[in-house]
Amino acid sequence: MKHEWRKHEKSLYLPKATPDLVEVPAQRFFMINGQGNPNGEEFAERVKVLYSMAYAVRMMPKGGVTPPGYVEYTVYPLEGIWSLTEKGRKLQELNKEEFLYTIMIRQPEFVTKEVAQMALEKVMKKNPHPFLEQVYFQTSEESLNIQMLHIGPYDEEPKSFAKMDEFAQKNNLLRIEKEHREIYLSDARKAVPEKLKTVLRYRVQPK
């Protein structure tokens, strides 16, 4: 049976539009780091490279290679971990050029370092790109998070984060890092800003 994250992992990818707690299991990702405005061309190229890697794995059986444990699946959505440079944190107003980010696409459990390397070699041969050398494969740690679904423009996310902070305070939870994670359920190139759906998430622990 085809694994579809929208159906089989609703607690991780389809939360309510109100804050809640979620245990996020260890997950495997193709990742790439960057700095600067996400509306720029460089960010778009990094996203493009990640998707080329993700689809290289997804289409392996059609190319005659079926990794052990392979199952049919829907490619996972783009995710990003966001923070600011030291300079950006000192500014009174947000400067998007000071964003630090790691964007990523989750991979199924059958994807190992060996499978990831095979995908990289395939993409380098078929669709070479200078950013491919910056892509890495990594497993995240299991973690406790507050999350919620944000509906609307990215620039209005602070309103949702304020609700998440209030939830943390009421439930005696401590945010343990400045970074936060975003999971993009909508295609920003096609959806109107008012209808964008983004999962917001940050790690916490009991006080």
Side-chain angles (χ1 to χ4, degrees):
M1 183 176 67
K2 185 176 181 179
H3 182 83
E4 300 184 45
W5 51 269
R6 286 183 179 272
K7 293 182 179 180
H8 301 119
E9 299 181 85
K10 291 182 179 180
S11 64
L12 294 176
Y13 297 104
L14 299 176
K16 299 177 181 179
T18 54
D20 202 0
L21 270 179
V22 61
E23 283 279 0
V24 179
Q27 299 174 341
R28 305 177 184 196
F29 291 93
F30 286 133
M31 314 172 82
I32 188 169
N33 303 327
Q35 177 179 338
N37 193 326
N39 297 311
E41 183 63 26
E42 185 172 308
F43 182 84
E45 287 298 305
R46 293 180 188 277
V47 172
K48 178 181 176 181
V49 163
L50 283 178
Y51 273 107
S52 68
M53 289 288 294
Y55 278 98
V57 172
R58 173 69 177 81
M59 303 304 289
M60 276 183 175
K62 290 190 176 181
V65 177
T66 303
Y70 183 93
V71 294
E72 289 286 327
Y73 66 98
T74 301
V75 170
Y76 283 92
L78 181 72
E79 305 186 28
I81 296 176
W82 296 85
S83 61
L84 287 168
T85 64
E86 288 298 325
K87 176 183 176 181
R89 290 173 182 170
K90 294 177 182 178
L91 298 175
Q92 292 186 349
E93 294 185 2
L94 178 65
N95 183 344
K96 293 182 180 180
E97 296 299 332
E98 299 302 322
F99 274 138
L100 292 174
Y101 59 82
T102 300
I103 51 176
M104 64 200 77
I105 297 177
R106 185 181 168 189
Q107 298 303 297
E109 290 301 306
F110 70 81
V111 179
T112 61
K113 290 182 178 179
E114 291 73 22
V115 172
Q117 183 62 33
M118 289 171 57
L120 179 59
E121 292 172 358
K122 180 179 180 180
V123 176
M124 281 185 165
K125 183 177 180 180
K126 187 176 181 180
N127 299 301
H129 193 292
F131 285 164
L132 280 169
E133 296 180 357
Q134 300 177 28
V135 175
Y136 57 99
F137 179 70
Q138 184 170 303
T139 300
S140 66
E141 297 180 355
E142 181 179 352
S143 59
L144 179 66
N145 291 257
I146 293 176
Q147 72 174 10
M148 70 173 287
L149 180 65
H150 172 78
I151 302 176
Y154 300 130
D155 288 344
E156 293 183 3
E157 288 179 358
K159 296 178 182 179
S160 293
F161 281 117
K163 296 177 182 179
M164 294 165 69
D165 293 342
E166 182 179 357
F167 178 88
Q169 185 174 7
K170 288 182 177 180
N171 289 275
N172 206 33
L173 297 166
L174 178 67
R175 183 172 180 172
I176 61 176
E177 58 190 5
K178 294 180 179 179
E179 295 83 1
H180 73 271
R181 181 180 294 264
E182 301 182 359
I183 304 175
Y184 306 103
L185 304 182
S186 303
D187 187 339
R189 300 168 301 176
K190 300 176 182 178
V192 295
E194 292 74 21
K195 294 185 178 181
L196 287 172
K197 294 184 178 181
T198 310
V199 179
L200 303 181
R201 186 185 290 168
Y202 61 68
R203 296 174 63 197
V204 294
Q205 66 183 22
K207 290 184 179 179

